[in-house]
Amino acid sequence: NKISCFRLSCNVTLEDGNIISDSENTISHAKITINGGRIENTSQDGFAFVYSTVILNAGTIKAANGFKYGGSDNSIINGGVIEVTNDAFYNPQNVVNLNGTIKAPRYGIYMDESQSSITIGTDDANTPIRNNPVIIADDTAIYKTNGRVSFYDGTIKGKENAIVGFATGLPEGYVVK
């Protein structure tokens, strides 16, 4: 079995409980709202989401890789935890990360395609900079050779590098160290 849920033409909401898969991809071509519970992919190289719209409000996502190939179109991360053993986001498209925690040993966010884009935090000059969301990686938190990263709030930490490449869309007065 390569994919657990494939080309769902409906919306799925996970309020609590677990979706555990050992297939290559857990959810593909679907819209899912996660309000609690856990989605886990136990495959060595598996992805939790491929070409899917994900609204993560609470809960945990555990997988070798989180989101693949724009597999997170128009997704919003409002909370929860994403824990992976490789990359959390691989070429995300139109992801808004407003809150929550991303933990990855290699890359938190890997971007090398021009259509990749992620917004981290909220672009609001009237609000003080917040410490959330948190992106932590043992290697590089954000590895970007192409695409767009807009960084407004949060904490980005990489043991080797916080960001390789450059963040675009930084508000005036922001500094990436």
Side-chain angles (χ1 to χ4, degrees):
N1 187 11
K2 295 282 186 184
I3 298 172
S4 293
C5 300
F6 182 68
R7 294 195 188 273
L8 298 175
S9 60
C10 61
N11 296 335
V12 176
T13 300
L14 179 64
E15 295 291 342
D16 197 9
N18 302 310
I19 297 174
I20 300 173
S21 168
D22 63 356
S23 62
E24 184 177 320
N25 301 310
T26 302
I27 296 175
S28 178
H29 297 81
K31 179 175 182 183
I32 183 165
T33 300
I34 304 162
N35 294 323
R38 181 179 78 189
I39 293 180
E40 183 173 351
N41 184 308
T42 58
S43 172
Q44 181 176 347
D45 295 316
F47 284 85
F49 305 101
V50 178
Y51 299 109
S52 295
T53 299
V54 178
I55 312 254
L56 177 61
N57 295 316
T60 302
I61 297 169
K62 293 182 87 170
N65 300 284
F67 299 77
K68 175 183 178 181
Y69 300 132
S72 42
D73 293 342
N74 302 309
S75 294
I76 301 173
I77 311 301
N78 289 316
V81 176
I82 300 169
E83 293 183 37
V84 297
T85 55
N86 289 320
D87 305 330
F89 289 92
Y90 184 86
N91 286 315
Q93 293 179 1
N94 303 319
V95 173
V96 177
N97 185 6
L98 300 176
N99 210 342
T101 301
I102 297 170
K103 298 177 184 176
R106 189 164 62 174
Y107 302 118
I109 300 165
Y110 179 92
M111 299 171 64
D112 67 356
E113 294 183 5
S114 62
Q115 72 271 19
S116 298
S117 68
I118 190 162
T119 301
I120 302 167
T122 304
D123 184 7
D124 184 357
N126 299 323
T127 304
I129 298 171
R130 299 176 309 131
N131 292 328
N132 283 327
V134 176
I135 302 170
I136 300 171
D138 290 343
D139 189 331
T140 301
I142 299 174
Y143 180 88
K144 177 188 165 298
T145 60
N146 213 333
R148 180 174 177 81
V149 175
S150 297
F151 175 56
Y152 304 110
D153 295 302
T155 304
I156 299 173
K157 293 182 182 179
K159 287 185 182 174
E160 294 296 319
N161 300 290
I163 299 175
V164 169
F166 56 93
T168 51
L170 289 175
E172 188 174 321
Y174 276 43
V175 176
V176 177
K177 298 179 182 180

